[in-house]
Amino acid sequence: MNKPTPAQLLAPYIGLSLHHLYEASVQNVDADVDFIEDVYEELRGGEPGSLREDFCGTAALCAEWIKRDPTRVAYGVDLDEPTLEWGRKHRIGLLGDHGSQVVLSQEDVRTAKSPTVDVQVAFNFSYFIFTERAALRDYFSSVHASLNQGGLFLMDLFGGVESEQELLEKTRYPAQVDPDGTEVPEFTYHWDQHRLNAIDRSLRCFIHFKIKGGPKIKKAFRYDWRLWMLPELRELLAQAGFSASHVYAEGWDDDADEPDGDFKRKKRLDNEGGYVSYLVAER
Ligand SMILES: C[S@@+](CC[C@H](N)C(=O)[O-])C[C@H]1O[C@@H](n2cnc3c(N)ncnc32)[C@H](O)[C@@H]1O
């Protein structure tokens, strides 16, 4: 007998899809847009108006961008049409008339044509799919060309000792109601990080979900990445024409014994444990 698909496993939960579980556990578009606004103010002064979200998936970030300020515009680019379609219905659709300020295109991020923008982002490590230097440099060159003069390119990355080890990290999320009204039951998110190949730094990861009192959805998402390191990324950004790049690392909350959510520009970053940082490149 064939293994049940994620859609079959989720069928008893009305309207629930993997996208709801992914967004509730992986994405924090509110914090991402806060960071974009803060860093633009710091480096450029004023507010950015136009955004391009590469690897946008459901375009949750585009939706948050417009929700904050309906005079803005956003462009989302992703290869996967069914995911874009879900985003149009469940995220952009919630913006009402302002939904027309978001344009989603099914294209490769390296060749997508959109008007030039103030800010372009590649979040949740999506550019790690480019495993060769030449491919990543081509992507960075295409970002450089699609930014306005003085535009900023923001990406995130993870690193540190833990990023190079096998890891299964489980995080519980309480029951919640999605912005589209869907009831999301309590579930646990499993980040399953396999062994890193030191020769080419290839890394395979999976996301699994376990619904409380319900099914486990194994390998809901799979990633075959290269675990890029900061100096390589910064060198490739410079080769692609960016005039400067900066690392923004999170501070530490001693009382809570966890990262404090406050990202500051840093010249030194300890490689202890694991970290997630933003890398910001200036056109
Ligand atoms: C990890 S998801 C990112 C979803 C969301 N934007 C986030 O930040 O969590 C990666 C997305 O990249 C898309 N993708 C992969 N390669 C691509 C390419 N070359 N051009 C455009 N999209 C691509 C996939 O279809 C997938 O939706």
Side-chain angles (χ1 to χ4, degrees):
M1 209 172 78
N2 288 340
K3 274 195 282 179
T5 63
Q8 287 166 335
L9 292 169
L10 292 180
Y13 304 88
I14 295 159
L16 186 67
S17 85
L18 283 182
H19 298 305
H20 291 111
L21 300 176
Y22 176 89
E23 286 193 22
S25 51
V26 176
Q27 288 191 277
N28 186 343
V29 292
D30 201 34
D32 282 334
V33 175
D34 280 349
F35 180 73
I36 297 169
E37 291 173 348
D38 288 351
V39 91
Y40 197 89
E41 171 69 37
E42 177 194 337
L43 295 175
R44 293 291 175 260
E47 288 185 10
S50 50
L51 168 91
R52 179 168 138 182
E53 182 186 9
D54 282 344
F55 311 97
C56 68
T58 59
L61 190 87
C62 289
E64 178 64 23
W65 186 252
I66 302 299
K67 211 167 89 191
R68 296 243 182 137
D69 179 351
T71 66
R72 291 170 161 176
V73 289
Y75 306 93
V77 179
D78 198 284
L79 277 178
D80 192 56
E81 185 57 31
T83 304
L84 290 172
E85 207 37 56
W86 193 93
R88 283 189 190 100
K89 186 167 168 210
H90 295 263
R91 296 293 172 249
I92 310 309
L94 303 183
L95 296 170
D97 289 349
H98 298 302
S100 60
Q101 281 144 250
V102 181
V103 179
L104 302 185
S105 336
Q106 189 215 350
E107 279 177 279
D108 189 301
V109 292
R110 289 167 295 181
T111 48
K113 294 272 170 286
S114 58
T116 56
V117 288
D118 298 331
V119 177
Q120 191 155 337
V121 303
F123 284 156
N124 282 311
F125 330 116
S126 305
Y127 62 94
F128 283 6
I129 53 143
F130 298 128
T131 54
E132 302 294 329
R133 290 177 90 78
L136 189 58
R137 193 171 42 232
D138 280 356
Y139 170 54
F140 287 170
S141 298
S142 74
V143 175
H144 189 267
S146 59
L147 281 170
N148 289 330
Q149 203 55 251
L152 301 180
F153 175 40
L154 281 70
M155 65 193 104
D156 55 9
L157 67 136
F158 65 97
V161 178
E162 268 177 19
S163 71
E164 304 191 342
Q165 296 167 339
E166 282 182 42
L167 187 75
L168 182 64
E169 201 175 68
K170 300 183 183 182
T171 314
R172 194 185 66 80
Y173 289 86
Q176 54 197 280
V177 179
D178 186 87
D180 69 5
T182 303
E183 288 192 23
V184 180
E186 182 177 331
F187 71 99
T188 308
Y189 157 87
H190 299 194
W191 174 245
D192 181 355
Q193 188 173 281
H194 282 252
R195 197 164 43 185
L196 181 76
N197 180 348
I199 292 178
D200 57 9
R201 292 198 53 91
S202 59
L203 176 69
R204 177 168 294 170
C205 301
F206 296 101
I207 291 174
H208 320 285
F209 297 112
K210 170 73 179 82
I211 309 247
K212 190 179 178 197
K216 178 165 181 184
I217 302 141
K218 285 191 193 158
K219 301 185 179 175
F221 295 97
R222 168 183 160 161
Y223 304 101
D224 287 296
W225 283 337
R226 169 164 168 178
L227 189 60
W228 290 92
M229 291 197 282
L230 272 164
E232 305 173 299
L233 294 171
R234 300 183 74 199
E235 281 160 14
L236 289 173
L237 286 165
Q239 285 170 18
F242 287 91
S243 58
S245 64
H246 315 285
V247 177
Y248 285 76
E250 211 172 357
W252 190 260
D253 181 334
D254 284 328
D255 294 334
D257 199 27
E258 60 182 28
D260 65 5
D262 190 15
F263 288 84
K264 293 248 159 48
R265 201 160 141 182
K266 295 267 168 61
K267 291 274 183 227
R268 274 199 63 87
L269 179 58
D270 285 336
N271 203 43
E272 264 173 42
Y275 60 82
V276 173
S277 297
Y278 288 106
L279 181 56
V280 178
E282 301 190 52
R283 188 197 151 131

